Amino acid sequence: MVTQLKTDILVIGGGIAGAFAAYKARQSGARVLLVDRSYFGRSGCSALASGVYPSYMPGDSVDDWIKGLGAGPLVNQALLVKSLPVMYEHLMTMDRWGVKWLKEGREIVRLGAPGRTFKNGAWMAEGGPQMMMAVRAGVMESGVEVLNRVAVTQLLTSDGKLPTEGRVVGAVGFHVRSGEIYAIQAKATVMCTGPYKFPYPWPGSTLGYMPVDLSGDGIAMMLSAGAQLSRLELGGINLNPDNLLCAPGLESLMPSGAKFVDKNGRRFLEDYDPKRMEMTSRALLYFAIAHQKELGNIPSMDLREITPERMELLRRVIPIVISSYEGLGLDVTKESVPYSYQVAGTAGIFGAGARVTESGNTTIPGLFAGGTCTDLAYLPGGHLPFCSVTGHWAGDTAGAYVAKAELTPLLPRQLEQAVQAIKAPLERRDGPAYGPVHRRLGELMMQKVGLVLHAQRLQEALSELLDLRENEISRLEARDHHELAKVWGLMHYTQVLEATLRAYLYRTESRVAFIREDFPIIDNVNWVKMVIVQRQGAALKLWDEPLPESFHLIPVRPTQNLHLVFRRKEPSHAPR
Amino acid sequence: MPRVEVNKTACTGCGVCVETCPTDVLRLDPENKAIMAYAEDCQGCFVCQWDCSYEAIRVRIR
């Protein structure tokens, strides 16, 4: 039994990008349906935000913003500038919706955020959970319809093919509790499913942190449909406290006086950015911590200098982080919090995914995308604003598109195949179970893909991944619909991971947190380029394209320098 | 691994935690009390504890 729904605009994903995409699409007068695998307002990254919406406000120096963000040669700096006033508009919209910002009187208080030389962060007075529930209410008030707990598995196309030579005409998915299958016909589909990382990591693994279910479903579906992806190799590393799944909360902890120290209590950021120290750019901060971990210096976060008053504030602003510390029994007034880094995902430094125009057009007609499932989002410490803005633009564009588009009938054969594919793991009787296969894949990532990459290890990882996918993951059994969503997540993750490993191999240089032992040069002569991945038939095709000159407000110098990792084996101030 | 502890006396079976759990961990049991149906997927985000109007839930990180 398949429930068929029709809408003008289908938005997939209910984080801040999906929320603003749906809201803006609705303002065009179109009928909008937002589908969320979890619960809109509680799902994804935004509800677990690090307490700060680093927003431009009128009067800020644009120059400060560009310099402060440390926007390097691979960033569309012009787009960054264009997004600044929109961030402020969103801040005000969310204020109207009832998001509780930290205020003095009626004015939003701005405190610091890492990577900025000025105070630019609007702090969430009751954290991400309150912010997203208020956003949910505001978006639903505008008339957006919402379907919760439906995991979308596949895009549907006008020619019935994947990859398509036509356009996207809707999507199919299932309810993760009842198993009811939904076929949604839409004039336009907007993908806002966020970044990806290894799904359901275990505490203490070097694989990721909450939200634990970021399996890259939307990126995988766009890849299957034939959309071009880019920046996958630059997704970067993540940080989080050892043995905890909570996010780091750096945006509010760093400006509050938290410090990173090594096993001897030394503030190692002296070696990387002695001027800004912990307030250095997010990219450099991530890299420095990962580097110290590699050197065996056991980086940890020292919160002892945070005043009791500020700690009380942090308890409200980043409630999940502080509650997690306390839940683990960490007394942060006496001991520091050990930190790890994670690899093989895009939830770190840069957004990566669908190649989109500034307006949110993917390379397939009828398919739009915003937020961190695209190559637009520039993340260091600015995840939320860039996601809300790029979601907004994609929603606007979809709204204009549907004014001229018609609903296209879903092709029965493609729909039937999609329905069969959804059910297959439930009907298998001789396939492997999810748990052990998931663990094997995680261990493969931990062993073969680390901070420092090498072609030989990457080839081994790719070969084992393809073997695991063909012989195990494609045959997984699911015990019920809840587990079916996890099986689909793992299938989608392995598709995106294959594309990522191939992009890692393709970029033969080092840059920020993308570090190739066999190509240690930061190469601004040959590699100010984007690497594109596209499915063509059964194979993935990769090529590179130069970045348009219009991206660069800060001229790119044609330098070739050895990456910091390879300049010395030990920190220059190592204890003697 | 994180886990959710439910005080069955305080739980009224209102289902708010089941509705909003980000990772779909919770269900109501036959007695209409919240239970961890998928304990292995709990991320320890505390949302259920804060959403509960009856103080029936405590999230344990270890």
Side-chain angles (χ1 to χ4, degrees):
Chain A
M1 187 59 194
V2 177
T3 301
Q4 301 228 11
L5 302 175
K6 291 179 183 176
T7 187
D8 291 327
I9 299 173
L10 167 65
V11 176
I12 305 173
I16 194 102
F20 273 93
Y23 177 64
K24 286 291 162 182
R26 177 70 192 137
Q27 285 192 328
S28 73
R31 190 173 169 194
V32 181
L33 174 66
L34 185 152
V35 177
D36 196 312
R37 184 177 60 180
S38 174
Y39 179 85
F40 175 35
R42 288 292 189 231
S43 62
C45 301
S46 306
L48 309 173
S50 286
V52 182
Y53 185 87
S55 177
Y56 169 87
M57 285 201 197
D60 282 358
S61 151
V62 171
D63 200 40
D64 278 354
W65 269 89
I66 297 296
K67 284 183 187 151
L69 285 165
L74 295 193
V75 172
N76 186 343
Q77 299 156 355
L79 183 90
L80 208 61
V81 172
K82 200 175 148 192
S83 73
L84 294 177
V86 190
M87 292 177 189
Y88 179 66
E89 177 196 321
H90 289 189
L91 184 68
M92 294 296 107
T93 302
M94 288 191 279
D95 190 51
R96 206 174 65 241
W97 285 341
V99 173
K100 293 183 182 172
W101 304 110
L102 193 64
K103 290 185 175 178
E104 275 174 11
R106 297 178 63 178
E107 296 296 311
I108 293 173
V109 172
R110 303 176 87 196
L111 298 170
R116 318 300 201 285
T117 49
F118 58 102
K119 291 179 176 174
N120 74 336
W123 283 36
M124 298 161 204
E126 293 183 16
Q130 192 277 332
M131 176 191 72
M132 277 312 292
M133 287 305 269
V135 167
R136 170 194 163 90
V139 169
M140 291 181 72
E141 176 72 27
S142 76
V144 169
E145 295 169 90
V146 174
L147 187 59
N148 289 313
R149 305 285 176 197
V150 169
V152 176
T153 56
Q154 185 190 309
L155 294 168
L156 299 170
T157 56
S158 59
D159 58 1
K161 293 182 190 163
L162 291 178
T164 183
E165 289 162 17
R167 57 199 172 84
V168 168
V169 297
V172 61
F174 65 95
H175 196 280
V176 303
R177 292 181 185 171
S178 70
E180 187 174 356
I181 291 176
Y182 289 86
I184 304 163
Q185 202 178 340
K187 294 176 185 171
T189 299
V190 187
M191 195 68 84
C192 294
T193 47
Y196 86 93
K197 53 191 176 53
F198 184 77
Y200 300 95
W202 48 96
S205 69
T206 56
L207 292 168
Y209 52 83
M210 72 172 79
V212 297
D213 54 355
L214 291 176
S215 42
D217 301 69
I219 302 173
M221 286 186 265
M222 293 191 285
L223 179 66
S224 294
Q228 293 176 18
L229 308 184
S230 94
R231 287 185 191 273
L232 288 176
E233 77 282 14
L234 299 169
I237 48 177
N238 311 311
L239 295 179
N240 81 310
D242 274 357
N243 301 315
L244 283 171
L245 290 170
C246 68
L250 299 176
E251 277 75 21
S252 41
L253 284 167
M254 292 293 101
S256 296
K259 296 174 176 56
F260 275 106
V261 294
D262 67 13
K263 61 187 174 189
N264 300 308
R266 192 180 72 84
R267 289 174 69 188
F268 55 79
L269 282 155
E270 274 176 17
D271 298 342
Y272 303 87
D273 187 349
K275 206 168 158 191
R276 293 192 292 180
M277 298 295 284
E278 280 80 4
M279 295 298 280
T280 189
S281 75
R282 182 77 174 249
L284 188 58
L285 184 67
Y286 275 36
F287 163 70
I289 291 161
H291 188 212
Q292 289 295 310
K293 185 90 179 175
E294 289 286 304
L295 292 171
N297 289 335
I298 315 175
S300 63
M301 189 195 275
D302 182 346
L303 295 94
R304 286 175 298 180
E305 285 185 26
I306 298 181
T307 63
E309 295 75 26
R310 178 54 73 95
M311 195 53 94
E312 270 314 300
L313 176 62
L314 289 169
R315 200 180 297 283
R316 292 195 281 131
V317 172
I318 44 169
I320 298 171
V321 177
I322 303 299
S323 297
S324 294
Y325 288 169
E326 291 172 352
L328 197 65
L330 275 168
D331 181 354
V332 296
T333 63
K334 295 197 176 89
E335 57 190 322
S336 54
V337 184
Y339 258 67
S340 287
Y341 69 92
Q342 294 86 37
V343 293
T346 59
I349 290 172
F350 291 98
R355 179 185 191 179
V356 290
T357 64
E358 291 186 10
S359 310
N361 291 290
T362 69
T363 52
I364 304 178
L367 179 63
F368 307 85
T372 46
C373 67
T374 76
D375 66 347
L376 271 194
Y378 174 68
L379 298 178
H383 310 55
L384 279 168
F386 291 114
C387 288
S388 70
V389 171
T390 55
H392 167 152
W393 287 337
D396 271 350
T397 309
Y401 179 85
V402 300
K404 296 175 288 186
E406 296 292 323
L407 274 179
T408 304
L410 303 181
L411 296 174
R413 190 174 143 76
Q414 187 181 40
L415 183 56
E416 183 164 336
Q417 284 173 344
V419 170
Q420 289 308 320
I422 287 174
K423 291 181 183 167
L426 288 169
E427 291 168 353
R428 286 190 194 110
R429 289 294 170 265
D430 57 347
Y434 174 87
V437 175
H438 168 261
R439 188 86 183 194
R440 270 182 57 200
L441 181 60
E443 283 165 357
L444 170 64
M445 290 302 100
M446 286 163 63
Q447 286 158 9
K448 302 283 186 190
V449 188
L451 176 68
V452 180
L453 308 169
H454 188 282
Q456 190 186 331
R457 292 190 296 275
L458 290 171
Q459 289 287 7
E460 286 169 8
L462 183 58
S463 162
E464 287 182 45
L465 170 74
L466 296 179
D467 185 59
L468 199 60
R469 189 169 76 189
E470 189 178 329
N471 296 312
E472 308 274 341
I473 291 166
S474 65
R475 296 175 47 244
L476 280 172
E477 274 186 37
R479 287 169 295 184
D480 60 14
H481 296 104
H482 173 93
E483 192 171 74
L484 184 62
K486 293 170 68 178
V487 166
W488 270 97
L490 208 57
M491 292 195 289
H492 283 147
Y493 173 72
T494 52
Q495 288 176 30
V496 180
L497 188 59
E498 182 200 345
T500 304
L501 293 176
R502 291 191 189 281
Y504 281 170
L505 282 159
Y506 191 95
R507 182 176 284 277
T508 50
E509 63 147 3
S510 291
R511 184 174 293 277
V512 198
F514 174 72
I515 301 163
R516 289 280 305 258
E517 191 180 341
D518 41 355
F519 295 98
I521 303 293
I522 302 169
D523 188 350
N524 279 351
V525 175
N526 298 302
W527 275 109
V528 182
K529 288 175 179 169
M530 57 210 282
V531 175
I532 315 289
V533 186
Q534 186 179 35
R535 180 164 294 287
Q536 295 185 0
L540 294 181
K541 187 171 181 232
L542 285 86
W543 70 94
D544 59 75
E545 291 182 22
L547 291 177
E549 277 183 24
S550 62
F551 275 25
H552 296 122
L553 304 176
I554 304 168
V556 179
R557 283 177 298 159
T559 52
Q560 290 180 314
N561 293 316
L562 191 64
H563 193 284
L564 196 59
V565 161
F566 304 103
R567 285 190 212 165
R568 54 176 179 260
K569 288 288 177 200
E570 293 293 330
S572 57
H573 304 287
R576 294 173 184 90
Chain B
M1 290 297 286
R3 64 183 192 279
V4 174
E5 287 178 1
V6 180
N7 176 341
K8 290 208 171 190
T9 312
C11 176
T12 66
C14 74
V16 164
C17 57
V18 178
E19 192 177 357
T20 63
C21 172
T23 51
D24 194 31
V25 166
L26 302 166
R27 294 287 186 276
L28 292 179
D29 70 8
E31 295 167 357
N32 222 28
K33 306 291 179 188
I35 51 159
M36 281 188 100
Y38 300 97
E40 70 278 17
D41 297 337
C42 178
Q43 59 182 1
C45 66
F46 295 89
V47 160
C48 54
Q49 180 177 315
W50 298 328
D51 277 352
C52 180
S53 303
Y54 306 97
E55 297 185 10
I57 292 182
R58 272 195 77 96
V59 174
R60 301 283 183 189
I61 295 295
R62 65 169 184 184

